[in-house]
C-alpha cells in the first residue's frame, strides 16, 4: 500500500513538471501567426500621423478649435516609444494656437491592431487605417468623450490636388502691405472697373472671374472641379475617414467664402473679397496679398501673375489671362 501511494505521488509530480515544461516551451516559442500579426501591426503603426477630425460627443469641434487641433501630430518609433502633440486654443486671441499638450511614453504591440500604451491616460485604438484617441474633457461641468482621428501623414488623401498648383490661387493675407502708393491711378481704374473672365476652355476653370469695384474693392471667384481632404483641412472642415460620398459645407475664413459641394458641377468655389492698389500704368496689386499681381496688357486684357512654392519647394510662376466682359 505504501509503495502504491509513493508511485502515485511521483506520477503527479512528473505530470506537473511535464506541464510546466510545455508552458515554458510555449513562452519561448510564441504562436507564429501571432508574431506575424504583431509585425504587421507595428509596421502599420510606426511613422508620423496627422489629425484630421475631432468630435465631442459625436459633434465636430468648432472651426476655431479645429484651426489649432488640425496641426496635432503623433509619432511612433521603431524602438517602441511614441509622442503625441496636441495644439489647442490659447487664452490670448493674439496667439491663436498657443497651448501645446505633449504626451510621450512607450507602447507594446500585443496582437493584430492591438496596442497597449504606458504613461498615457486616454484610450488609443488602431481602426482600419486610422489611429483613434478617446479622451475625457469637461464641458459645462459635464465629462464628455472627445475622439481625435489621425491618419498617416503620407496618406494619399493629404496629397496636394494636382489641379491646385496650376488652378488654385492662394489669397491668404500676409503682413506685407502693398497699400503705400503715390501713383495717381484714376485713369487706370476707369479702364479696369467691371468684371473680367479667365480665357480658358478647361472645365470649371473657365468660370473664374474677377471684378474691380469702386473704393478699391476687388472680388475674385475661383472654381475647381473637385476637392480633397487637404482642401477641407485648409478651411478647418472636419470630416470622417474615408471621405464621405456627400459633402456640403460653406465656410468663411478671413477674406474667403468657400463652398464645398460634391453634388455640384464645380465642387469647390472660393470667393475672395480683397482690396486692390494701382501701382503704375500697368501694375495692380492686391493689398496684403503676396505673390500675386495683375498686369494690364491693354483695355481688354489683364494678365494675372501668381508666384508660389510647389510641393518640391521650388518657386513657380503661373500666368492666367483675363478678358473684360
Amino acid at each position: 500500500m505504501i509503495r502504491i501511494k509513493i508511485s502515485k505521488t511521483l506520477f503527479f509530480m512528473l505530470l506537473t513538471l511535464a506541464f510546466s515544461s510545455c508552458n515554458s516551451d510555449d513562452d519561448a516559442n510564441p504562436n507564429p501567426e501571432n508574431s506575424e500579426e504583431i509585425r504587421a501591426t507595428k509596421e502599420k503603426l510606426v511613422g508620423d500621423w496627422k489629425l484630421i477630425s475631432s468630435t465631442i460627443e459625436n459633434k465636430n469641434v468648432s472651426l476655431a478649435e479645429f484651426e489649432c487641433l488640425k496641426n496635432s501630430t503623433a509619432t511612433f518609433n521603431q524602438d517602441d516609444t511614441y509622442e503625441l502633440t496636441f495644439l489647442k486654443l490659447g487664452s490670448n486671441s493674439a496667439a491663436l494656437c498657443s497651448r501645446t499638450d505633449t504626451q510621450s511614453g512607450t507602447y507594446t504591440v500585443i496582437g493584430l491592431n492591438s496596442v497597449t500604451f504606458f504613461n498615457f491616460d486616454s484610450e488609443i485604438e488602431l481602426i482600419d487605417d486610422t489611429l483613434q484617441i478617446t479622451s475625457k474633457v469637461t464641458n459645462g461641468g459635464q465629462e464628455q468623450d472627445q475622439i481625435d482621428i489621425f491618419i498617416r501623414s503620407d496618406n494619399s488623401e493629404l496629397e496636394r490636388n494636382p489641379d491646385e498648383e496650376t488652378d488654385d490661387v492662394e489669397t491668404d493675407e500676409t503682413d506685407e502691405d502693398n497699400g503705400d502708393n503715390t501713383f495717381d491711378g484714376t485713369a487706370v481704374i476707369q479702364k479696369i472697373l467691371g468684371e473680367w473672365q479667365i480665357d480658358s476652355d478647361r472645365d470649371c476653370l473657365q468660370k473664374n472671374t474677377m471684378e474691380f469695384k469702386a473704393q478699391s474693392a476687388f472680388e475674385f471667384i475661383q472654381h475647381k472641379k473637385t476637392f480633397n481632404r487637404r482642401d477641407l483641412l485648409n478651411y478647418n472642415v472636419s470630416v470622417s475617414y474615408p471621405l464621405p460620398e456627400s459633402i456640403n459645407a460653406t465656410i468663411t475664413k478671413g477674406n474667403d467664402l468657400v463652398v464645398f459641394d460634391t453634388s455640384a458641377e464645380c465642387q469647390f468655389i472660393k470667393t475672395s473679397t480683397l482690396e486692390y492698389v494701382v501701382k503704375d500704368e500697368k501694375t495692380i496689386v492686391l493689398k496684403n496679398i503676396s505673390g500675386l499681381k495683375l498686369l494690364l496688357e491693354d483695355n481688354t486684357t489683364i494678365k494675372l501673375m501668381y508666384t508660389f512654392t510647389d510641393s518640391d519647394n521650388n518657386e513657380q510662376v503661373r500666368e492666367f489671362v483675363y478678358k473684360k466682359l
Side-chain angles (χ1 to χ4, degrees):
M1 293 291 291
I2 294 175
R3 187 171 60 251
I4 294 173
K5 188 174 182 180
I6 293 173
S7 298
K8 286 183 177 179
T9 302
L10 288 172
F11 172 76
F12 283 116
M13 289 177 64
L14 291 170
L15 190 62
T16 301
L17 287 171
F19 276 118
S20 176
S21 177
C22 288
N23 289 336
S24 297
D25 290 343
D26 288 343
D27 292 339
N29 300 291
N31 188 327
E33 293 183 1
N34 189 48
S35 297
E36 185 60 37
E37 291 175 352
I38 289 174
R39 281 194 294 270
T41 299
K42 186 165 185 176
E43 183 178 348
K44 184 164 70 171
L45 183 65
V46 168
D48 298 321
W49 299 72
K50 181 179 176 63
L51 188 144
I52 59 164
S53 174
S54 185
T55 59
I56 297 178
E57 295 297 312
N58 297 319
K59 293 183 179 179
N60 289 330
V61 299
S62 68
L63 293 178
E65 287 180 281
F66 194 65
E67 170 77 11
C68 299
L69 278 171
K70 70 180 183 182
N71 297 308
S72 302
T73 60
T75 299
F76 293 86
N77 302 307
Q78 194 70 39
D79 64 357
D80 299 335
T81 60
Y82 71 91
E83 181 174 281
L84 301 169
T85 302
F86 289 92
L87 270 69
K88 299 181 180 180
L89 275 172
S91 56
N92 183 358
S93 58
L96 181 64
C97 306
S98 58
R99 284 176 55 207
T100 301
D101 290 346
T102 302
Q103 294 276 359
S104 61
T106 58
Y107 68 89
T108 301
V109 179
I110 58 177
L112 184 63
N113 292 337
S114 183
V115 184
T116 58
F117 293 83
F118 301 95
N119 195 30
F120 195 73
D121 55 5
S122 298
E123 180 184 355
I124 304 182
E125 298 177 276
L126 273 173
I127 301 177
D128 297 326
D129 292 328
T130 69
L131 179 75
Q132 298 192 20
I133 300 178
T134 303
S135 309
K136 296 293 183 182
V137 295
T138 302
N139 194 354
Q142 293 184 333
E143 195 174 68
Q144 298 177 323
D145 284 337
Q146 176 168 329
I147 299 177
D148 298 308
I149 299 178
F150 294 73
I151 61 175
R152 291 290 296 260
S153 58
D154 57 0
N155 189 296
S156 60
E157 285 198 7
L158 295 177
E159 292 178 358
R160 183 184 291 271
N161 190 322
D163 291 336
E164 201 171 72
E165 292 188 351
T166 57
D167 297 347
D168 188 28
V169 176
E170 295 295 335
T171 53
D172 292 336
E173 281 196 72
T174 68
D175 293 332
E176 180 178 343
D177 188 358
N178 296 316
D180 295 335
N181 192 42
T182 57
F183 178 75
D184 182 3
T186 304
V188 177
I189 291 173
Q190 292 305 311
K191 294 178 183 179
I192 64 177
L193 282 176
E195 191 172 6
W196 301 67
Q197 186 166 20
I198 197 168
D199 186 15
S200 173
D201 58 359
R202 286 186 50 197
D203 292 330
C204 292
L205 182 65
Q206 63 184 297
K207 297 179 181 291
N208 288 5
T209 60
M210 58 187 185
E211 183 176 0
F212 296 90
K213 302 179 181 181
Q215 283 86 45
S216 300
F218 179 79
E219 184 179 76
F220 187 30
I221 304 178
Q222 301 179 75
H223 301 71
K224 290 200 297 184
K225 187 72 174 177
T226 61
F227 59 85
N228 62 5
R229 188 178 295 279
R230 190 174 183 277
D231 296 309
L232 293 166
L233 289 174
N234 282 344
Y235 292 94
N236 307 330
V237 181
S238 172
V239 296
S240 60
Y241 178 87
L243 288 176
E245 290 185 5
S246 177
I247 298 176
N248 193 320
T250 301
I251 305 296
T252 300
K253 181 184 177 185
N255 301 310
D256 300 332
L257 174 68
V258 180
V259 177
F260 297 95
D261 186 358
T262 50
S263 65
E265 179 185 358
C266 301
Q267 297 183 6
F268 176 96
I269 301 176
K270 178 167 69 174
T271 302
S272 304
T273 304
L274 308 163
E275 289 184 67
Y276 68 90
V277 177
V278 177
K279 302 293 285 186
D280 55 44
E281 293 180 350
K282 294 290 185 181
T283 309
I284 304 113
V285 297
L286 301 179
K287 194 171 183 179
N288 296 326
I289 303 296
S290 64
L292 188 63
K293 67 179 179 179
L294 306 164
L295 301 178
L296 182 63
E297 301 283 290
D298 54 46
N299 290 349
T300 62
T301 305
I302 286 180
K303 183 181 292 184
L304 186 153
M305 307 286 291
Y306 176 45
T307 303
F308 64 98
T309 302
D310 64 18
S311 54
D312 296 322
N313 210 33
N314 296 318
E315 186 174 280
Q316 301 284 349
V317 178
R318 292 286 183 267
E319 297 181 5
F320 303 92
V321 174
Y322 281 75
K323 295 291 186 177
K324 193 165 189 180
L325 294 179

